[in-house]
Structure formats: structure tokens, C-alpha cells
Amino acid sequence: MRLFLSAGLACGLAGLACAQVQNYTAQPGVHYSVNVPSASASSGSGDFFIQIQAPSSMQWVGLGQGGQMRGSNMFIIYSNSDGHNITLSPRLGAGNFQPDFNSAAQVSLLEGSGIANGVMTANIRCTSCASWNGGSMSFSDASSSWIWAVKSGSVIASNSPSANLQQHDAMNSFNFDLTKAAGGNSLNPFVSNAASNGVTTTASAGSSPTGSPSSSSGGDGGDGGSFSGGSGDGGDGDDGSKQTKHIRVMAHGIIMSLAFLIFFPFGALTVRFLSVKATVWIHASLQLFAYAFAIAGMGIGVWLSVTEQELNVTHPIIGLTVISGLFLQPFLGLIHHFIYRKTQRKTLWAHAHVWWGRALLILGAINGGLGLQLSGNTVKGEIA
């Protein structure tokens, strides 16, 4: 309590409105802070301040508005070419693949940004954070959705805001209470004037699984705080979860490719080119095996879609439609077979069985391409 009274007294003595800063620690050394100036909080638009801090040894660090990659307004930083400063790369997320550089973003780096003592710091002013192509955020949201991600490894060392990014090592989602981040009329709330008044602000991330944000008070032009305390690791944040997801993405793609490009077509060809007494039952057995294979792949796909909150996108919708449609195939085939045994004539059921199957195989193959696009495998073989 004494800490915040001292900070408030310093604000009063300086004749300044206090800038409230919400802080979040994602993992040791990786910190995010936000401030909504009083004018922006009142109008619902205008300046919005973000601070990102992380070890300079990291390849890149990112923060995004929104609860998932699709539709997220992202801020990614990495070392510039000389290694003494940083590059800010605003990007728009379109799915679980590398986000594109957002040239329409109205952002700027402020004083205090750069690399010092092994820490990358980005003090960002954003004037396009209330709305962007694909989303919006209320500056009075008490539970605003955000995502973070980091990538370890050799530094990018680029001045280009559209540099190629490798898949993250860790990521998660969390919430900021923007009502507690509102206040002040600073042009840079993260540059500390409070230190000159003998004020120190400390923020800790709390101990909840999502690393509950905490708020600190500082004078205008105030301090983003020195950080300590808990980590916000969780979900996909650890290497084991990342590896599990990668394996399941690969397994889903391989299983479905085998089912729709090899097993189903091979089973269909047996009716045309295999002339033995049990041809029909060999055909049926092969197709049922392929269907079981496809159902296994569908199960993995549903897990991935639920985990990534993508059940409402084109690839899983078409996939579930195709698998459901295939359920009719054995019944269409059996009806034709039993009628044919009595009449020795080809029936309408046979045409329905053949053309329904062909349509579903074609749709399944097309959906495979959509799956590659969704996973980002069309960009340098990366799956993000």
C-alpha cells in the first residue's frame, strides 16, 4: 500500500494525471505492459501504449490483440541488423501460419526502445489498436483477449518489418483488464520520471495458470515497472505440447493423404480390374479399411480444430462433410449389390454409389490443399 500511496503522491506533486499500467509476465524474462490514456479510454479510440520486454537472445517475441492467431493484430519485435536496436513488425494473423506484415498499422517506437543489458525493449504507440482489418477491441474491456508467442534461437538481425519468421517455441492466451490500464495523458508512460522522485514500482504476474495481469501506478511518462514473480507458462507453451501438436498435424495430413489418394482409389479400381468370385467383398473390405483410416485422421483433425478454435473455418467444415458423406457409401453399394443379384442389371443405386464416391474423393483431395494452406505448409514447409 505504501508503494502506491507514494506513487500517487508523486503524481500529485508533479501536477500530473497518473498513468495506470497493466503488466503480464508470460515466462521468465518475457513481459508485456499496456496503458490506455484517459482521452482514449473516454473516446474509445486514439493512442494505445504497449511495452514488450524479452531477452535479446531470443529470435523474436510477439504480442497480439485477440484470443487466437486468426484475426489478431500483432506486434512482433526482433533484433535489427547491427544488433544494437530492434525492428518492430506489425502483422495481421490470418490463421495458424506466418502472419503477414501490416503496412496499414499506425504504430511507432518511442524513447526507451532498443537493446541494453541483454534485454530487448519496445515501447510502442499504436493509434490503430481500436480497430483493424479483421477485428477490434474496446478500450474499456475488463477482460480483453490477447495472445503471446516467443521463438528462441539465432537472432534474425534484420531491419525489414516483413522478415521471415520461424514457428514459435511457446505461446498462450491471456486477458488484460483495460479498465485498470486506463489513465494519464503521457506521450510515453513507460519512460520513468518517477525514479527522480524516489518512486519504485514493482509488478508481479500472479500465480494463476494464465498469469493474471497486475497493475502498477506511475507518473505521466511513468514507469512500466520492474518485473518479478510468477510465470504465465501453460497450454502450448512448453516444448512437449508443441512437439505433440506438430506430430498430430503431420499424422493428420499423412493419414488423410493415404486414405484419399491411395486407399480409396485402389479399392475402387478393384471392381474394374479384379475378376474373381469375391471381387465385390474384396472391394468392400478395402473401402471399409480406408474409411476406418479416414475416421482416425478425422479424430486427430477434430482435436486440432478444437484446440486451435478453428472448427468454423473451411477445411474442417469440408472435412467433416466428406467423412459424413462417406457413411452412405456402403449402404448405396449394398442396395445395388442385392438388387443386381436378383435382376443381373445395373441399377440407379450403382450410379449413385459410383458418382457420390467420386465427388467425395475429389472434394477430399481439394480439402487436402486447404489443409496445407491452413497449416502454413505452403510457406517454406513450416507448420505454425
Side-chain angles (χ1 to χ4, degrees):
M1 174 66 83
R2 182 178 301 170
L3 171 66
F4 295 106
L5 286 176
S6 299
L9 179 60
C11 292
L13 290 173
L16 301 169
C18 282
Q20 286 293 118
V21 178
Q22 274 273 286
N23 304 308
Y24 176 83
T25 298
Q27 56 179 222
V30 180
H31 314 291
Y32 303 100
S33 304
V34 297
N35 166 253
V36 185
S38 296
S40 299
S42 299
S43 66
S45 61
D47 287 348
F48 188 93
F49 295 102
I50 298 170
Q51 183 182 72
I52 301 175
Q53 290 184 317
S56 59
S57 58
M58 286 189 165
Q59 189 171 113
W60 61 262
V61 183
L63 177 68
Q65 293 178 273
Q68 59 182 353
M69 285 187 68
R70 182 176 295 276
S72 178
N73 187 36
M74 301 181 183
F75 309 90
I76 297 173
I77 65 169
Y78 39 85
S79 172
N80 73 347
S81 58
D82 64 19
H84 299 301
N85 213 326
I86 61 170
T87 298
L88 170 63
S89 175
R91 303 196 178 208
L92 289 175
N96 283 354
F97 45 89
Q98 183 172 192
D100 294 326
F101 169 62
N102 179 17
S103 59
Q106 299 175 35
V107 296
S108 56
L109 283 173
L110 305 176
E111 180 185 354
S113 301
I115 298 177
N117 301 318
V119 177
M120 289 191 293
T121 300
N123 295 331
I124 304 166
R125 177 194 290 120
C126 175
T127 56
S128 56
C129 282
S131 63
W132 59 92
N133 183 17
S136 63
M137 178 172 287
S138 170
F139 288 171
S140 59
D141 191 344
S143 185
S144 62
S145 298
W146 297 75
I147 55 174
W148 63 266
V150 296
K151 170 63 179 175
S152 301
S154 57
V155 298
I156 293 178
S158 173
N159 294 332
S160 171
S162 57
N164 183 59
L165 303 178
Q166 294 185 21
Q167 180 191 354
H168 52 69
D169 292 324
M171 59 81 64
N172 207 351
S173 60
F174 69 101
N175 301 98
F176 269 134
D177 183 351
L178 297 184
T179 64
K180 295 181 179 179
N185 52 19
S186 174
L187 297 178
N188 187 349
F190 305 117
V191 174
S192 175
N193 288 329
S196 62
N197 292 320
V199 178
T200 302
T201 58
T202 302
S204 174
S207 58
S208 69
T210 56
S212 303
S214 63
S215 60
S216 62
S217 176
D220 255 356
D223 193 356
S226 59
F227 298 83
S228 64
S231 166
D233 292 335
D236 283 341
D238 56 78
D239 290 339
S241 295
K242 171 197 165 189
Q243 185 65 19
T244 297
K245 176 185 171 184
H246 178 78
I247 290 173
R248 291 183 182 183
V249 169
M250 296 297 293
H252 172 71
I254 291 171
I255 289 173
M256 289 309 208
S257 295
L258 288 172
F260 283 87
L261 299 180
I262 296 179
F263 296 153
F264 278 126
F266 180 75
L269 290 173
T270 57
V271 174
R272 295 280 184 180
F273 300 106
L274 187 63
S275 298
V276 296
K277 188 175 181 179
T279 294
V280 171
W281 300 112
I282 292 174
H283 164 74
S285 298
L286 289 174
Q287 298 302 69
L288 286 174
F289 170 77
Y291 189 42
F293 214 67
I295 289 175
M298 179 197 70
I300 299 173
V302 169
W303 180 90
L304 290 167
S305 296
V306 170
T307 300
E308 299 301 321
Q309 301 178 4
E310 290 183 337
L311 274 173
N312 61 338
V313 300
T314 305
H315 176 69
I317 290 173
I318 293 178
L320 290 171
T321 301
V322 170
I323 296 299
S324 299
L326 285 171
F327 181 76
L328 297 176
Q329 276 296 85
F331 298 103
L332 295 174
L334 282 172
I335 292 172
H336 161 69
H337 176 67
F338 289 128
I339 295 177
Y340 179 81
R341 287 179 62 183
K342 293 180 180 180
T343 64
Q344 295 297 305
R345 293 179 180 178
K346 200 168 187 178
T347 67
L348 289 176
W349 295 103
H351 293 293
H353 178 70
V354 170
W355 287 104
W356 183 246
R358 288 173 180 173
L360 291 176
L361 285 185
I362 292 172
L363 190 58
I366 292 172
N367 200 38
L370 296 176
L372 288 173
Q373 184 182 50
L374 181 64
S375 71
N377 220 23
T378 54
V379 181
K380 300 191 176 182
E382 297 170 358
I383 299 176

